[in-house]
Amino acid sequence: MKKLLFMAGLLSASAITADAVAQSYNPYYPSNVPNNYSAPKRSASSRKDDFKKFSIGLDYVITDATMANHSFSIDSPLLGGTPYSGTLDNFEDSLDTLSGSIGWRPLRYLGFEVFYQQSLSDNQIKYQESYAQDTRFAQAEYEFEYKAYGADAILYLPVLSRLELLASAGLANYDFQAKVKLNAYNENTANMTASNPLKFDEDKLAFRYGLGAQLFLSERLAFRAMYRYTQIDGDYIDKLSEISLGVRYNF
């Protein structure tokens, strides 16, 4: 959650920075700019020629996943060991994700993007069981990752010569892979006895919605920050909140 708040602050800083620049790099900015605006005006025909209808993008995404209320138990691999009881809340709910996209913007205020994103695998040790005068110990290991692909419709609202506000709605397929293992280790030999993992895999089709801003750094390159919300309503995953920072190359 701290990462989400930090990146939301960067989004606000982008808007403040955009208000301070004078030269217009945004070919989608309306030609009828206010008279008191200092950026050089361009004719409607020249702006139309400058429109870049296609884009490729790369984003770094922080995903905050809310897990469903679900408990489980795993038998200990140690002889006489205590069964391990846990809940899905033990999974690390903040994941680092990379996302790539291809966009088409046929109109000034409307565009479409298809995307694919893949989280980095997250492995966390949440519990360890050991005994006095015994070189063996057991530990619970949580692994969680997901991938997604889909399409978004995006509304663009040019508000400054370099800045646009964005609103998006889309449909995506999410493939979540989560598992818990209770493995036994020997401190002296480094041998491991692996238990059968409990898996909580889920594949869901869900709508997602977003708000954000886009700042043109040049006539082709733009910086983008977005917040997205997805209601999964699955057996194991309830919802996702995402904040992304990325760039778009327009051509």
Side-chain angles (χ1 to χ4, degrees):
M1 185 57 69
K2 290 182 178 180
K3 289 184 179 180
L4 293 180
L5 294 175
F6 172 73
M7 297 178 76
L10 291 180
L11 174 58
S12 300
S14 298
I16 295 173
T17 303
D19 197 23
V21 295
Q23 185 178 358
S24 175
Y25 285 144
N26 185 353
Y28 303 99
Y29 190 66
S31 56
N32 56 338
V33 296
N35 293 329
N36 61 353
Y37 191 75
S38 59
K41 297 181 180 180
R42 285 186 275 177
S43 67
S45 60
S46 66
R47 283 182 171 275
K48 184 176 180 181
D49 294 337
D50 286 342
F51 281 7
K52 310 296 189 294
K53 290 190 175 182
F54 300 97
S55 66
I56 55 176
L58 181 64
D59 296 291
Y60 168 69
V61 185
I62 295 296
T63 302
D64 187 66
T66 301
M67 313 294 281
N69 185 16
H70 187 84
S71 59
F72 57 85
S73 178
I74 305 177
D75 291 335
S76 174
L78 299 178
L79 184 61
T82 304
Y84 171 70
S85 297
T87 68
L88 293 186
D89 288 339
N90 293 127
F91 278 100
E92 180 64 31
D93 58 1
S94 183
L95 297 175
D96 297 316
T97 308
L98 294 178
S99 177
S101 66
I102 299 175
W104 175 49
R105 185 171 175 178
L107 303 173
R108 171 178 289 164
Y109 301 108
L110 178 65
F112 305 91
E113 285 186 355
V114 294
F115 73 93
Y116 175 84
Q117 67 186 58
Q118 172 75 58
S119 73
L120 304 180
S121 180
D122 188 271
N123 191 316
Q124 298 281 328
I125 297 174
K126 300 289 187 176
Y127 165 84
Q128 184 166 306
E129 176 188 24
S130 59
Y131 301 95
Q133 298 179 347
D134 193 334
T135 60
R136 301 170 304 157
F137 65 94
Q139 60 187 25
E141 302 173 12
Y142 287 72
E143 295 182 14
F144 182 40
E145 62 182 343
Y146 80 95
K147 57 186 176 183
Y149 59 88
D152 294 310
I154 303 176
L155 295 177
Y156 299 86
L157 178 61
V159 293
L160 294 171
S161 65
R162 289 193 183 188
L163 182 67
E164 296 179 322
L165 301 182
L166 312 177
S168 69
L171 186 65
N173 186 84
Y174 292 87
D175 181 14
F176 300 98
Q177 297 180 1
K179 60 183 178 181
V180 182
K181 299 178 292 185
L182 189 62
N183 294 329
Y185 297 86
N186 191 305
E187 294 179 353
N188 294 336
T189 64
N191 291 335
M192 181 186 74
T193 302
S195 66
N196 293 325
L198 285 181
K199 295 183 178 180
F200 305 97
D201 297 348
E202 195 153 46
D203 197 302
K204 294 285 289 186
L205 189 66
F207 290 100
R208 67 180 203 160
Y209 308 94
L211 293 172
Q214 181 167 272
L215 177 67
F216 278 82
L217 305 176
S218 70
E219 291 186 355
R220 292 187 180 270
L221 190 64
F223 168 80
R224 180 181 293 186
M226 292 287 292
Y227 168 80
R228 285 190 173 90
Y229 173 84
T230 308
Q231 188 70 39
I232 301 295
D233 285 334
D235 294 331
Y236 307 121
I237 312 297
D238 186 26
K239 58 187 177 182
L240 297 179
S241 295
E242 299 176 328
I243 284 187
S244 64
L245 295 176
V247 293
R248 294 296 183 275
Y249 180 78
N250 304 281
F251 59 95

